[in-house]
Amino acid sequence: MSVKTDFLVIGSGIAGLSFALKAAQHGKVTIITKSNEDESNTKYAQGGIAAVLPDSSGDSREKHIQDTLICGAGLCNEKVVRIVVNESEARIAELVKWGAEFDKDKTGHYDLAREGGHSEHRVLHHKDITGLEIERKLLQQIHNHPNITIHTHLFAVDIITQHHLGAIVKRSTPGITCYGAYVLDTRTGKINTMLAKIIVMATGGAGHVYKTTTNPVIATGDGIAMAYRAMAKVNGMEFIQFHPTALYKPGENPSFLISEAVRGFGAVLRTTDDKEFMQNYDERGSLAPRDIVARAIDSEMKKRGDDFVWLDCRHLNIEKFKEHFLTIYAKCLSIGIDIAKECIPVAPAQHYLCGGIQVDENACSSIRNLYAVGECSSTGLHGANRLASNSLLEAVVFSHRAYLHASSMVTEISYREDIPDWSTVTSRQSAELVLITQSRKELQEIMSSYVGIFRSDMRLKRALERLRLLYLETEELYEQWELSPKLCELRNLINVAYLIVKAATARTENCGLHYNVDN
Ligand code: FAD
Ligand code: SIN
């Protein structure tokens, strides 16, 4: 099957959906997504979306800018930071127009939360299910739009460039152009060709490179791997954000998040012998930026041989807590923890990828007609460490900028008609899926052991050697077996892991989320 569409959006999280809603004024939009339509990192966002609005008393855009720059540890692109913060008010207004509701206090003002690294309360939220609220309201708008079609269970395998027409394409080749994508229908096993004038990568993060992550299973770095294979520039991959407070519950994967806003509400971290420790690491205590808190927790756990630390909410107003954090309260209760009486066991877990497909201020990648938005992109906003709740904001700001740019280009682009169908000549049915599942586990073990919160030269070297073997074995399977989402994901995870290790090895100073004990 061959499909033609003006805009092909790969991914149905906040970035892809908000782009689609706007682009649909200028042409036919096709969204493909590999799972159910709402399955995404977006759906699980708890804390909220950071913004400075006219009624944010005591706060200012300049404070938000400075907090973002400080958190990014000197590596943010200041121009991009200013763009994002300055455009936040307009993008929040759009989310509200599309139906997203953010909690207000009794006086009718937004009830703003605070998270690590923020000098003020500035996080808009919908209880502790902000992402779910945004995702469902965006999807409602998408369903009602005559120019948008959303296809679920379609897995983008590779984007199409001159390479698929037989040209030799190198990273230095000028004018690499994207013409669409090869897409696997996970229900029929067929691979379709989707041709588009504009292709938008909105595939989210890569949490499942690691053994423990807060990300849902869709987060396998597919978009970054696809773009990298097509010779796009990728940036900042060493900056993996570990959230300090994922619920410690062995066997549960993904890990359930205990929002940083809980610490913003007054919860305190303690070691298992009941001692507060964050002041020993940073004067901002439990609300220091995430890199600092995650490293502190990791150090305390290692010192004591513990698997977790405590998050203490016992002194808080539990009725008020329940009003804001009902999902977290209910989750804890469901596993026998009454937070009014007991502490919550927490440990760091992979949470966010600061790097990704390198884009400019209009979300253009280094490949013509290919845009990247949301977590799969690297805009320069986050630098070496993302400020909490800046991710949803970045997604809407850059989707808007991508839309402005792409809609001005779309009329000048024609479909490429001579794209060959996907070749399936050598594919045979995979007899031993255990080879895939086992390799995925090995990969996660390698990355968690050697490329986690603390790194060393030896660990990075070892990781690279182990990854090489996994890479060779997986490429062999890829050559021989019929394509499946599991095989494609494994290949993508290995690709992304390689990019992380290479970037971590190349960075010789410690900065933000990258900490090598030998630097
Ligand atoms: P996603 O929302 O992850 O969407 C990616 C989409 O791409 C999915 O639909 C997926 O199925 C699809 N996809 C992936 N690969 C393919 C493929 N090969 N083919 C087809 N489709 C594909 N950020 C904040 O700012 N505030 C918060 O409070 C916050 N809380 C968070 C809590 C949790 C538990 C998590 C995991 C993240 C949180 N974040 C938060 C981060 C934020 O949610 C994400 O960075 C953001 O939602 C990413 O949006 P996105 O649209 O880029 O990607
Ligand atoms: C959280 O609620 O702690 C997550 C916020 C974020 O990742 O930005």
Side-chain angles (χ1 to χ4, degrees), residues 45-48 115 241 243 245 257-261 263 290 351-352 386-391:
Q46 290 186 351
E115 293 182 58
Q241 186 167 76
H243 197 292
T245 56
L257 184 69
I258 308 292
S259 173
E260 199 157 82
R263 275 173 282 137
R290 276 184 199 166
H351 180 64
Y352 185 82
R386 175 181 66 105
L387 182 66
S389 288
N390 264 357
S391 169

Side-chain angles (χ1 to χ4, degrees), residues 17-307:
L17 297 181
S18 58
F19 174 88
L21 278 174
K22 295 177 176 195
Q25 299 165 59
H26 298 269
K28 189 176 152 209
V29 180
T30 303
I31 305 172
I32 58 165
T33 192
K34 69 177 175 180
S35 179
N36 298 330
E37 61 178 9
D38 65 344
E39 196 54 7
S40 58
N41 278 5
T42 301
K43 181 180 171 183
Y44 300 93
Q46 290 186 351
I49 180 163
V52 179
L53 302 177
D55 70 347
S56 308
S57 68
D59 201 2
S60 69
R61 288 182 180 176
E62 195 52 36
K63 284 189 189 170
H64 189 184
I65 290 165
Q66 291 310 321
D67 290 347
T68 303
L69 292 171
I70 291 168
C71 200
L75 292 193
C76 300
N77 177 333
E78 185 169 342
K79 188 170 175 214
V80 168
V81 175
R82 289 185 181 277
I83 286 174
V84 172
V85 171
N86 287 330
E87 294 180 10
S88 60
E89 190 185 333
R91 301 288 78 80
I92 296 291
E94 258 160 15
L95 287 174
V96 171
K97 186 188 81 193
W98 286 326
E101 289 176 28
F102 300 112
D103 293 352
K104 293 189 171 167
D105 62 22
K106 288 194 182 87
T107 64
H109 294 99
Y110 283 119
D111 173 39
L112 301 171
R114 189 167 167 203
E115 293 182 58
H118 287 276
S119 56
E120 296 289 342
H121 285 71
R122 66 166 71 95
V123 180
L124 292 131
H125 62 94
H126 181 100
K127 311 282 177 213
D128 54 0
I129 50 167
T130 311
L132 180 64
E133 167 69 5
I134 293 174
E135 182 73 19
R136 62 188 173 197
K137 295 295 164 60
L138 288 176
L139 280 169
Q140 276 172 16
Q141 296 290 329
I142 293 280
H143 295 154
N144 291 332
H145 206 299
N147 256 3
I148 305 177
T149 313
I150 182 161
H151 297 283
T152 61
H153 302 280
L154 289 192
F155 187 110
V157 176
D158 263 321
I159 54 169
I160 301 168
T161 66
Q162 293 94 324
H163 164 77
H164 298 95
L165 293 160
I168 295 178
V169 179
K170 298 195 175 133
R171 221 158 286 282
S172 57
T173 305
I176 305 174
T177 306
C178 185
Y179 306 115
Y182 289 119
V183 175
L184 170 68
D185 186 329
T186 63
R187 288 170 170 160
T188 63
K190 294 237 162 54
I191 297 172
N192 303 321
T193 308
M194 289 195 151
L195 301 179
K197 296 176 180 172
I198 300 285
I199 298 87
V200 179
M201 202 63 92
T203 46
H208 286 268
V209 164
Y210 289 88
K211 205 163 64 172
T212 317
T213 177
T214 62
N215 293 187
V217 289
I218 51 93
T220 52
D222 300 346
I224 297 168
M226 279 188 269
Y228 184 74
R229 280 198 294 274
M231 303 291 165
K233 288 187 184 152
V234 166
N235 192 34
M237 295 296 289
E238 66 274 44
F239 300 120
I240 304 295
Q241 186 167 76
F242 289 81
H243 197 292
T245 56
L247 178 67
Y248 175 73
K249 186 167 182 290
E252 185 166 86
N253 193 19
S255 301
F256 181 82
L257 184 69
I258 308 292
S259 173
E260 199 157 82
V262 170
R263 275 173 282 137
F265 192 79
V268 171
L269 288 161
R270 296 180 188 281
T271 48
T272 47
D273 53 355
D274 216 22
K275 294 196 174 60
E276 281 189 42
F277 58 91
M278 269 316 301
Q279 288 298 342
N280 305 335
Y281 292 87
D282 193 285
E283 61 184 18
R284 289 163 289 187
S286 290
L287 278 179
R290 276 184 199 166
D291 55 335
I292 296 169
V293 182
R295 267 198 299 277
I297 293 176
D298 195 76
S299 301
E300 291 297 329
M301 282 171 17
K302 292 224 168 85
K303 223 188 289 176
R304 293 177 159 70
D306 286 340
D307 292 326

